[in-house]
Structures are given as C-alpha cells and as structure tokens.
Amino acid sequence: MTKETKVRLISALIVAPFVVACFISYQSLIGLVSAIVLLASSELLFATLKKYRKNGILVVYIALLSAFPLLFGIWFLEQPMELLSVLYIIGIVFTLFVVKNKEIVMEFFGVYSISFIYISMNLSFFIPLYKFYGAAIALLTLTLSWAYDSFAYFFGLSFGKHKLSKVYSPNKSYEGLLGGIFGTFVYTLIYFVIVNNFSSYSIPLWYSIAFAIITGVMDTAGDIFESAIKRAYGLKNIGRFMPGHGGMLDRIDGLLFVAPVIYIFLKLFS
C-alpha cells in the first residue's frame, strides 16, 4: 500500500463515519447538506474568482448558496422553485451593484449560476429523498457513489484499456464503468435484502438494477464534468479539504448528478 493510498484511507475513515451519523435525523441531514454546499461552493468560487480580489461578493454568494438547503428543508419543502428563484435573483442583483467591469461580469454571473444549480440545488435533493423516502434510501444514495467509485477504480486499474474520455478524464475506462455498475448492483442488492428483512421497508429488488445503472452513468458524468472544470483552470484538485482526496467538490462530484436522478426515478416508479 502506497503512502498516498494510506492517507486516502485514513481520511475516509475519519470523515465517513461523521457523514453517516448525520443521517440519524432529518435536521442533522439538513445541516450536513448546507455545510457541504458551503465548502464545495467556496472551493469553486474562489478557484474561479479570487483573481479579481472581490472577496465580499464571494462571501455573499456562499451565504446564499448555503442558505438554500437550510431554508428549503425547514420552511420551503413545497416551494423549492420559488425559493431558488428569489435567492438566485438576490445574488444577480448584488453582482450588478458590486461588479462594475463589463468585461468580467459574465464570469461572475456564470460561476454563481453553475454553483447554484450544480452544487446547491443538486445536493439539496438529499432533503426530499430523506423526507419522502426515508433515511435508508437517502443513506443508500450517499453510499452508492462510494461503492461505484471503489469498484470502478478496481476494475479500471485491473482491466481498463478503452478510454472513456480522453480529453477530460483520460484515466477512466469503459471497463471501469461496467465493472463499477456490476459491483454497485451487487452492493445495492445486498443492501435492499438487509433493509427489507430488518426494517419496515419493502423495496423492490429490481430497483438494484436501476440504481446501479443510474449511479454508473451519472457518477461518471459528474466526475468528468468536474474534471473538465479542473482542466479549464489547470488544477489537479479544486481544494484540499481531505488529504489524499482533494477538496470537498472532488469528493461529491459524482453524487451531485446521482442524487437528483435517483430522486426522479423514485418519483416516477415508487
């Protein structure tokens, strides 16, 4: 085991139990989502806009982005679009007052918009997942990405020959994708069997196939999207929150695409 692998393992063993513990209640989950949005959006915003030395506007952006999951989960569960629109408009209007350079204002608009949809809104899907489908499904959605990443890494390292995205993520392979989907299917099937037998849940076992495919495709897409951002800025990692893992955004990139699609699937078929 290399030194880097050991650092990654230790970091995961420290952070993962805390994250899982936050799924013990609806309120702690809301706090967790808001905290992760704060960290991940801070990384993206500062990586993009720190060169302009307008830290005040970045603080306002981060506050609005972090406020969305808090307000959504506590008061606006039935009015997410209204809340999203109001907070978004506040940020845009504030930008118009603070950024007076028309040559750079679109960059502020752009990264704020991406952060709102990509990070704050997408991660906030964990809130209705928990509220309407229970802690077991919400926790599964979290660990789906962990399982897929682990299996995809193993199969890609062992058998990967055909590159999936040479431009943005040259280390990913079709073998890793298929192996990751298979491993995630096995993991999800075992999870459902245990949950069905030891709780009041009655989850159709065929969901394990759908969940595995959704996770494989969406986790990979999310990872490649974040890799494209990093390559555009010439960065290896967006941040340094977790030693050996990079920043918070590096850890949740796939999850940001997985959680919304899992929720939409459940809305359609549950």
Side-chain angles (χ1 to χ4, degrees), residues 58-103:
L58 300 188
V59 171
V60 172
Y61 282 172
I62 294 164
L64 292 169
L65 294 167
S66 306
F68 176 75
L70 279 175
L71 297 173
F72 173 44
I74 298 173
W75 290 299
F76 292 91
L77 196 59
E78 302 298 329
Q79 299 90 24
M81 296 306 294
E82 292 89 335
L83 175 64
L84 182 69
S85 181
V86 169
L87 293 179
Y88 179 74
I89 290 171
I90 290 172
I92 294 298
V93 171
F94 187 77
T95 305
L96 292 172
F97 278 99
V98 175
V99 181
K100 301 299 183 179
N101 186 343
K102 62 184 180 182
E103 302 295 330

Side-chain angles (χ1 to χ4, degrees), residues 215-232:
T215 302
V217 174
M218 291 296 105
D219 189 282
T220 301
D223 189 281
I224 292 175
F225 177 68
E226 201 244 358
S227 292
I229 293 174
K230 289 188 291 187
R231 289 186 178 277

Side-chain angles (χ1 to χ4, degrees), residues 145-193:
S145 281
W146 296 354
Y148 172 76
D149 287 343
S150 299
F151 284 112
Y153 177 78
F154 170 77
F155 279 95
L157 193 64
S158 302
F159 309 106
K161 293 181 180 179
H162 300 87
K163 300 300 182 183
L164 189 60
S165 177
K166 294 180 181 179
V167 175
Y168 297 119
S169 191
N171 291 329
K172 293 194 178 302
S173 65
Y174 284 99
E175 291 82 1
L177 171 65
L178 296 176
I181 291 174
F182 173 74
T184 305
F185 161 70
V186 173
Y187 166 74
T188 309
L189 184 62
I190 294 171
Y191 186 97
F192 284 160
V193 169

